[in-house]
Amino acid sequence: MTLIDLNKQLADTISTIVRPLGDYIAVEISGSDGFSFSYHENIPMLSASLIKLPVLLYAYKSAELDSSILEQTIHLDEQRIVSGSGVLQILSLRDWTIRDLLALMINVSDNTATNLLMDFFGIENLQAWVEKQGLVETRIERKMMDEEAQREGRTNWISAHDANWMIQQIFSENDPLPDDAKAWLLHQQFRDKLPGLFDEKSQPVTVYNKTGEMEEIDHDAAYFFYNGHSVAATVLTSGIENRQDALFPIQNIGQLIEEYLVEVAHSVG
């Protein structure tokens, strides 16, 4: 099967999964071998923990100007601890470097670490950087678990297009993030979505991903890599009451991409 055939087959199959879900799903996928698929990619959805991706990128872009930033230390006061995902709420250590907070934010999606980083860099600065990149569907308006901000109507938004741009920037050929940041994505603890159907199996495709979830919200942004070939994929779902109905398309799209990459590598070398 030719590369053109493989690309068309993948697009057609993903389309049959996505389109019946209508406005409840948004997808953008881009591959190194010319594959492209998008559906509602510019529609903003509540970001959940995908909003941690621009924080990661901003931190490392700031570190390019001042390498000492990543080694600066932040003290964690008890009143700054929030609930939800993460481990800082159960650990006794109270002084953390920016690098370690970034690791916790990505690897275990730590909400407290994220809030400390948002305070350190400034939400207004983070949003200004997002806008400078042309990411018009991303809004950073509050910290994690900030119920007061939510009551005031302030929240965080992202689109499949913006999230997919962010995951690609981490692996950019011209200005990639360091290997330690990539390792946090590779070894992060939430792997039940795009890599969910094959992550524990013996297979050759490497997947770096960051998930997000809230009530009736399930997202995943991932970078698939195999033998010099890659695919960046983001799937957002919102408003699907039965969580299994949301996980089904995300997981199946992930498995289709994994199978596609292996076929492409064997077909074109």
Side-chain angles (χ1 to χ4, degrees):
M1 188 177 291
T2 68
L3 182 58
I4 292 174
D5 291 333
L6 287 172
N7 286 348
K8 184 178 185 306
Q9 181 184 68
L10 180 59
D12 289 346
T13 307
I14 292 175
S15 182
T16 64
I17 294 173
V18 168
R19 294 191 182 280
L21 292 170
D23 294 341
Y24 296 109
I25 193 166
V27 180
E28 181 166 295
I29 307 172
S30 179
S32 60
D33 293 278
F35 180 76
S36 178
F37 180 89
S38 57
Y39 181 78
H40 291 161
E41 71 278 10
N42 295 117
I43 296 178
M45 292 187 179
L46 294 174
S47 66
S49 285
L50 284 192
I51 210 65
K52 295 166 184 176
L53 288 176
V55 178
L56 175 68
L57 285 165
Y58 182 85
Y60 272 96
K61 298 308 177 185
S62 299
E64 290 177 359
L65 302 176
D66 180 0
S67 60
S68 69
I69 284 178
L70 297 180
E71 305 311 321
Q72 292 188 38
T73 301
I74 294 179
H75 181 74
L76 172 58
D77 296 321
E78 195 75 24
Q79 63 268 23
R80 301 177 78 182
I81 296 174
V82 298
S83 59
S85 58
V87 296
L88 284 181
Q89 57 191 303
I90 62 170
L91 299 179
S92 59
L93 187 63
R94 286 292 177 262
D95 293 297
W96 296 86
T97 65
I98 296 298
R99 187 190 303 275
D100 286 340
L101 292 172
L102 289 166
L104 290 169
M105 178 182 71
I106 298 299
N107 189 255
V108 294
S109 203
D110 197 293
N111 288 332
T112 299
T114 306
N115 287 355
L116 291 173
L117 291 165
M118 285 181 165
D119 284 339
F120 180 83
F121 290 112
I123 287 179
E124 290 184 359
N125 293 331
L126 290 164
Q127 179 59 33
W129 179 83
V130 163
E131 293 173 6
K132 188 176 180 180
Q133 311 315 306
L135 305 174
V136 297
E137 293 116 26
T138 298
R139 294 292 305 173
I140 306 174
E141 298 180 345
R142 65 167 179 85
K143 294 187 289 185
M144 310 305 291
M145 312 305 289
D146 188 341
E147 295 179 358
E148 181 179 349
Q150 286 183 295
R151 286 192 294 270
E152 294 173 354
R154 289 182 284 124
T155 191
N156 300 325
W157 301 89
I158 203 164
S159 66
H161 168 74
D162 286 3
N164 215 47
W165 181 89
M166 293 175 199
I167 204 76
Q168 289 178 86
Q169 287 302 301
I170 295 170
F171 298 88
S172 166
E173 291 184 4
N174 298 325
D175 190 21
L177 265 59
D179 289 342
D180 55 356
K182 297 174 185 176
W184 304 333
L185 291 159
L186 177 62
H187 300 293
Q188 69 103 2
Q189 300 301 299
F190 300 94
R191 304 278 290 182
D192 62 333
K193 294 182 181 177
L194 283 167
L197 295 183
F198 59 87
D199 192 51
E200 299 298 331
K201 298 179 181 179
S202 177
Q203 53 82 36
V205 177
T206 303
V207 183
Y208 308 79
N209 75 304
K210 180 72 194 80
T211 63
E213 50 270 331
M214 296 166 56
E215 184 178 356
E216 296 186 11
I217 297 285
D218 273 291
H219 306 326
D220 203 1
Y223 189 87
F224 296 70
F225 183 84
Y226 175 58
N227 199 24
H229 305 269
S230 63
V231 171
T234 296
V235 184
L236 312 182
T237 67
S238 177
I240 299 177
E241 293 183 11
N242 185 333
R243 189 161 189 248
Q244 290 305 314
D245 292 338
L247 292 177
F248 176 84
I250 299 174
Q251 292 173 341
N252 278 273
I253 288 170
Q255 184 164 34
L256 287 168
I257 293 171
E258 183 259 346
E259 294 168 353
Y260 162 83
L261 277 176
V262 172
E263 287 192 66
V264 166
H266 291 166
S267 298
V268 304

